[in-house]
Amino acid sequence: MIFLLSCSMDYPTKEKLRLAEHSVTPAPGSSEASAEKPEEANNCCFCCSYRTGSISIAIFYLVVHLSFLGFGIVALCSEGVRNVGAMVFVALSVLTVSIVLISLMLLGAVKRRHQYLLPWAVWEGFNIGLETVGLAISLFGFGVIALVGFIFLALRGCCVFVVLQYRGQLMAQPPKSEGNAQA
């Protein structure tokens, strides 16, 4: 009888103690908090996680900015362009800075590094502010076209919101310990 009781008892082994010492944190998309409170679902656009939304935003922004940079370079190299003003060079410089910051954001979203998300969010916030001022001024001259610009402004604001929400999630996670660094 005592033999049966001792066999049925679960003694901690070295493996169990090692696993308990270096517990693995849950993945960002499958947090335990969202399972306990379904009303606090961490979703972007009601369909995907903030991480997936951030990666999608980075890819979309990168494609658009690379396209504009390509068109700008082709316009500079064409023979019909004789006197290009400083505005073209400023626009190409701004596009280049944007591409670098978007690449950092993509790297940060994929590698789960919150430090890489903030520079793009600050840059985009600055651009949104400039666009708001420009649209407010052009509202008196262009009317309906400026209203369409406000729709794009709202979409850009939503993109910044999604990236900042994902950054907040990453910052809320405990730092990886040495035992979990390999995972």
Side-chain angles (χ1 to χ4, degrees), residues 64-87:
V64 168
H65 283 78
L66 285 173
S67 300
F68 280 128
L69 184 66
F71 289 137
I73 291 172
V74 167
L76 275 177
C77 294
S78 66
E79 291 181 25
V81 179
R82 301 249 187 242
N83 296 326
V84 281
M87 286 299 281

Side-chain angles (χ1 to χ4, degrees), residues 138-139 141-150:
S138 69
L139 186 61
F142 299 115
V144 176
I145 297 172
L147 290 177
V148 173
F150 279 114

Side-chain angles (χ1 to χ4, degrees), residues 84-93:
V84 281
M87 286 299 281
V88 174
F89 292 112
V90 169
L92 291 179
S93 300

